[in-house]
Amino acid sequence: MDFPVIKHYGQDDGQGSVVPGTGYGSMETPDGLYVSNSTSFSNPSNLRIYYKHFNQRGDPLIPIREDGILGPVLQFVNTDLSTAEWVGSVLLLVPRYYPTPTVSFIDPLFIDCPLYGQPTEIGGFKESVFIRYDIRIPLHYDHEKTIIYCINSSQTKYNFNIPSQTTQWRWNFWSCNGWSLNVTDKAKSELGGNDVVWEDLLEKHKKVPFHVQIGGGDQLYCDLLWKDPVWDTFYSAKEKAAKKSFPFSDDMAAFANEFFFVHYVVNFFYTSKFTQAIATIPVSFIIDDHDIFDGWGSYPDYLHNSNVFQCLKTIAFKNFLLFQLQTNHELSRNHGYFGHEGYSWLKYFGPKISILGADTRFERNLEYVISEKTYDEIFNRLRQLPASVKHLHVITGVPIIYPRLTVVENTLSLMSKYSVTKFSIFQKDGALATISNQFGEPELLDDLNDHWTADIHKKERANFVIRLQEVSRIQRIRVSFVAGDVHCAGAGRFATDVGKMLPENDYRFMPQIISSAVMNVPPPNAVIRMAHYSAKKYMLDSYTNEEMYTMFEKDVNGKNPPNNNKKLLGRRNFSSFVEDTVSGSILVHIHCQNEANKGTVAYPLTIVPLNMQSNYI
């Protein structure tokens, strides 16, 4: 990863101090504690039944801790710049009968004075209760710290790392943490299964710890929802008006509530390396379509605004808030989430870096991705960023910069030559066909409409970028985009089209990092080839051009990439970001999985800060 080594309090510094364990080594059983993708968890008739996973008292039938608690999930909430404190929270899922657990945190500088998380019950389902624990930890002036925490004074301990007030921040980004419905066991095996990229991420974290991990959407795949016969009567309604008004029955509601809850339990608490990662690297999540179901927000009105779809949205977001954002609708504004509707967030990674996590799904429809009222709230907050902020990363599910869909639409006739007639050029995996065809809709159209570069979203996209240019110009902040969704790696940029302006002097220069998927399958080479063919230079407006970088001169095996496609690489991946405190740049690496299914190869990119002089072009 090429991280500079920083001295830590509480970690092995070569003088005999010991790094505490992650809390997972002693929990694995000979039979395999983590049972991701086992038959019992893949069958929807089992997924929907709470009591196949919990007893009548709410104890998990497969405990991951000696006390029957599920979790923890560790969340980075923010940096309080006014008090120099790290602000976070921990989520536990606890049997309802169980006394409220305690969560204690040991600061290595105050080892005899533990801090205690403040518990708040935020929701529940049947005999299970969600408890959020809020915690604030002082940041040392110039040394990082390893914080140890435990539940109920248990022997099982966890640890995480926080930066100091003056040292660099390090974080990672990933997306698409699951498998699409059509991915075969053979395809999963050929890629090495669930954990190849996660193992590499955790190995890098072990050597030089990350302070935050950003899940860029599709933290789990909920498309299995549609495989249950409870929906057969909805499918059988042939007329659009009948589908739109079709009642959301009590059976549908019972199934959906149980499905989402148990599906989250399985995916968050029983998936080996991911379960370990979310307990030891603080998370910040945004939502994308598969956290609801594939293509959400890009369906025609009679489906999008149907009773069935809207009720499913409510249930999906309720569980997203509880499991991923550690909040509920009533408390969400107190917990820092905002928007006219939806749950965007703005966080500080120290005094110089701010991250905007945009909710691009709650308000989304075929008319807009984000409502004007939410845009206004976003930019009101951005205008109030302190003068110390030099970088703003905008996190979206789908990339802002990506090959234009209109070109692809004009070349769809070529797809049959490459045996990809069941894929759209931007369809990651074919799962959309499984869903769309059940509704009688063309499988291609929804996937095309899901992209910012689709005709229906181009004007909104341009307005969003131009408003961000004003933030950059007036406040002298380098704006960058980070996204996933498309199951391949790549990068691009906006830039001023007039003259030859250096990026450090160009407020219109905005790079885009594309990092996807951490688990799911890459697209076929033919799909990458078609996207690569479309990756030309375009004009956003009269002053701004956009293009993809030629980033992959060599594949991970040292050979030329397939079909010499050097702008997008179809390998599973994650990305890392390191603040260079000397130059002010952000050092980015996209870590792509090796062919041998062990480790990754890093592709570097540097995001330079914006100089203080103005560009008035």
Side-chain angles (χ1 to χ4, degrees):
M1 189 178 296
D2 301 321
F3 285 166
V5 176
I6 301 295
K7 179 176 173 61
H8 305 267
Y9 280 130
Q11 282 207 305
D12 186 354
D13 58 3
Q15 299 179 10
S17 57
V18 178
V19 180
T22 62
Y24 285 88
S26 61
M27 295 160 52
E28 297 182 7
T29 68
D31 298 326
L33 175 65
Y34 301 109
V35 287
S36 171
N37 294 321
S38 70
T39 302
S40 63
F41 287 152
S42 299
N43 186 326
S45 64
N46 284 319
L47 270 174
R48 69 178 291 183
I49 300 174
Y50 176 89
Y51 291 112
K52 282 189 176 289
H53 303 279
F54 298 88
N55 66 21
Q56 296 296 320
R57 285 158 51 91
D59 298 300
L61 297 182
I62 303 177
I64 65 172
R65 292 175 45 86
E66 66 276 9
D67 52 18
I69 293 171
L70 292 180
V73 181
L74 176 66
Q75 179 177 222
F76 171 69
V77 173
N78 216 332
T79 306
D80 190 329
L81 299 179
S82 64
T83 61
E85 290 178 305
W86 182 93
V87 185
S89 63
V90 168
L91 178 71
L92 301 180
L93 190 63
V94 180
R96 193 176 296 278
Y97 75 88
Y98 202 93
T100 301
T102 60
V103 180
S104 58
F105 299 80
I106 303 297
D107 185 325
L109 297 182
F110 307 98
I111 196 166
D112 295 325
C113 300
L115 302 169
Y116 289 91
Q118 300 302 307
T120 303
E121 184 177 325
I122 59 173
F125 182 75
K126 294 188 182 295
E127 300 307 315
S128 300
V129 175
F130 296 85
I131 304 179
R132 168 183 168 135
Y133 294 81
D134 288 286
I135 185 68
R136 301 172 74 94
I137 301 173
L139 297 172
H140 191 272
Y141 179 71
D142 59 4
H143 283 84
E144 298 192 8
K145 293 190 288 190
T146 298
I147 306 298
I148 304 169
Y149 73 105
C150 67
I151 302 163
N152 285 343
S153 301
S154 167
Q155 293 301 307
T156 300
K157 292 179 170 53
Y158 312 88
N159 69 77
F160 63 98
N161 293 80
I162 63 175
S164 75
Q165 298 177 43
T166 56
T167 52
Q168 64 181 199
W169 279 69
R170 301 181 298 273
W171 66 99
N172 66 65
F173 173 92
W174 50 265
S175 62
C176 304
N177 180 47
W179 301 104
S180 300
L181 290 178
N182 67 325
V183 180
T184 64
D185 289 341
K186 179 182 178 183
K188 296 175 187 177
S189 177
E190 288 174 349
L191 287 169
N194 293 4
D195 289 337
V196 175
V197 180
W198 279 112
E199 286 173 348
D200 186 74
L201 185 155
L202 287 169
E203 185 63 27
K204 288 176 169 54
H205 172 65
K206 182 179 179 181
K207 293 177 180 177
V208 183
F210 293 110
H211 304 123
V212 186
Q213 57 177 323
I214 298 176
D218 299 345
Q219 278 70 252
L220 76 173
Y221 279 61
C222 298
D223 311 325
L224 189 62
L225 168 83
W226 292 111
K227 288 297 187 179
D228 195 87
V230 74
W231 311 110
D232 287 351
T233 53
F234 177 59
Y235 296 148
S236 66
K238 301 302 182 184
E239 298 297 325
K240 293 181 178 181
K243 269 197 168 68
K244 186 171 185 178
S245 62
F246 199 91
F248 192 69
S249 68
D250 290 344
D251 285 346
M252 290 176 177
F255 169 77
N257 276 292
E258 200 149 19
F259 172 87
F260 276 103
F261 176 84
V262 179
H263 198 54
Y264 263 103
V265 166
V266 170
N267 281 274
F268 270 49
F269 302 132
Y270 294 95
T271 50
S272 188
K273 301 303 179 183
F274 175 62
T275 300
Q276 178 180 339
I278 61 178
T280 54
I281 308 174
V283 301
S284 288
F285 291 137
I286 67 164
I287 195 168
D288 204 19
D289 56 337
H290 290 281
D291 298 287
I292 310 165
F293 57 81
D294 193 13
W296 172 261
S298 295
Y299 289 94
D301 175 77
Y302 79 92
L303 287 173
H304 180 81
N305 286 314
S306 67
N307 293 327
V308 170
F309 270 42
Q310 287 298 313
C311 288
L312 283 175
K313 171 190 175 181
T314 298
I315 295 170
F317 265 93
K318 177 184 70 176
N319 284 276
F320 169 73
L321 292 177
L322 289 168
F323 281 96
Q324 298 202 41
L325 302 190
Q326 303 187 10
T327 190
N328 57 42
H329 176 70
E330 291 73 24
L331 293 174
S332 61
R333 296 325 185 219
N334 293 336
H335 288 154
Y337 302 103
F338 68 90
H340 174 62
E341 295 182 293
Y343 307 95
S344 296
W345 47 260
L346 185 65
K347 302 184 180 185
Y348 296 106
F349 287 20
K352 298 180 181 179
I353 301 165
S354 189
I355 313 289
L356 169 65
D359 183 345
T360 60
R361 291 294 167 179
F362 193 93
E363 298 175 316
R364 187 188 192 105
N365 54 43
L366 290 182
E367 184 179 347
Y368 52 78
V369 178
I370 299 172
S371 72
E372 279 300 319
K373 290 183 178 179
T374 294
Y375 277 122
D376 289 343
E377 190 164 348
I378 286 172
F379 284 97
N380 284 339
R381 289 172 182 254
L382 295 183
R383 281 190 287 270
Q384 297 174 44
L385 290 174
S388 63
V389 172
K390 303 304 178 187
H391 287 272
L392 169 66
H393 285 6
V394 179
I395 313 296
T396 60
V398 178
I400 297 283
I401 300 174
Y402 203 64
R404 291 292 179 94
L405 305 184
T406 50
V407 174
V408 176
E409 289 177 283
N410 293 334
T411 58
L412 286 176
S413 60
L414 297 177
M415 293 177 65
S416 60
K417 294 183 180 180
Y418 300 99
S419 301
V420 289
T421 54
K422 292 186 179 180
F423 289 84
S424 87
I425 200 66
F426 290 93
Q427 190 170 324
K428 289 81 68 178
D429 44 53
L432 188 64
T434 306
I435 297 173
S436 295
N437 286 343
Q438 291 171 322
F439 302 137
E441 284 296 308
E443 62 192 60
L444 173 62
L445 185 59
D446 303 81
D447 207 39
L448 293 174
N449 288 337
D450 215 38
H451 279 258
W452 285 94
T453 48
D455 282 337
I456 58 174
H457 297 312
K458 279 183 182 177
K459 183 178 179 180
E460 177 184 355
R461 171 181 180 264
N463 289 339
F464 187 22
V465 173
I466 290 168
R467 291 182 76 173
L468 286 169
Q469 288 178 353
E470 284 300 285
V471 171
S472 179
R473 182 181 68 84
I474 295 171
Q475 298 172 239
R476 313 311 299 166
I477 294 173
R478 170 67 69 217
V479 176
S480 306
F481 300 101
V482 185
D485 183 81
V486 292
H487 295 191
C488 59
R493 83 332 169 242
F494 292 110
T496 294
D497 191 62
V498 180
K500 295 182 178 179
M501 189 171 296
L502 293 173
E504 51 265 42
N505 298 326
D506 185 3
Y507 70 83
R508 295 189 182 93
F509 179 81
M510 298 180 182
Q512 166 82 70
I513 307 300
I514 301 167
S515 185
S516 168
V518 70
M519 187 182 297
N520 213 341
V521 295
N525 284 334
V527 175
I528 295 289
R529 182 177 181 181
M530 295 293 286
H532 188 272
Y533 172 79
S534 305
K536 302 176 181 179
K537 182 180 286 189
Y538 296 96
M539 295 298 296
L540 178 79
D541 61 10
S542 300
Y543 300 98
T544 311
N545 66 51
E546 59 180 277
E547 64 179 348
M548 298 292 295
Y549 283 126
T550 301
M551 190 170 182
F552 305 102
E553 293 291 342
K554 297 294 180 182
D555 201 346
V556 295
N557 54 17
K559 300 177 182 178
N560 290 334
N563 300 308
N564 213 32
N565 299 328
K566 298 180 179 181
K567 296 180 180 179
L568 297 168
L569 188 62
R571 300 283 184 182
R572 299 199 295 183
N573 63 85
F574 75 97
S575 54
S576 63
F577 299 75
V578 179
E579 177 187 10
D580 184 335
T581 56
V582 176
S583 69
S585 297
I586 304 296
L587 310 179
V588 184
H589 290 82
I590 303 179
H591 304 266
C592 296
Q593 179 175 322
N594 267 318
E595 276 193 335
N597 296 338
K598 179 70 174 179
T600 60
V601 174
Y603 294 85
L605 185 146
T606 299
I607 302 175
V608 297
L610 183 61
N611 285 342
M612 295 306 294
Q613 63 261 35
S614 295
N615 166 9
Y616 293 105
I617 296 176

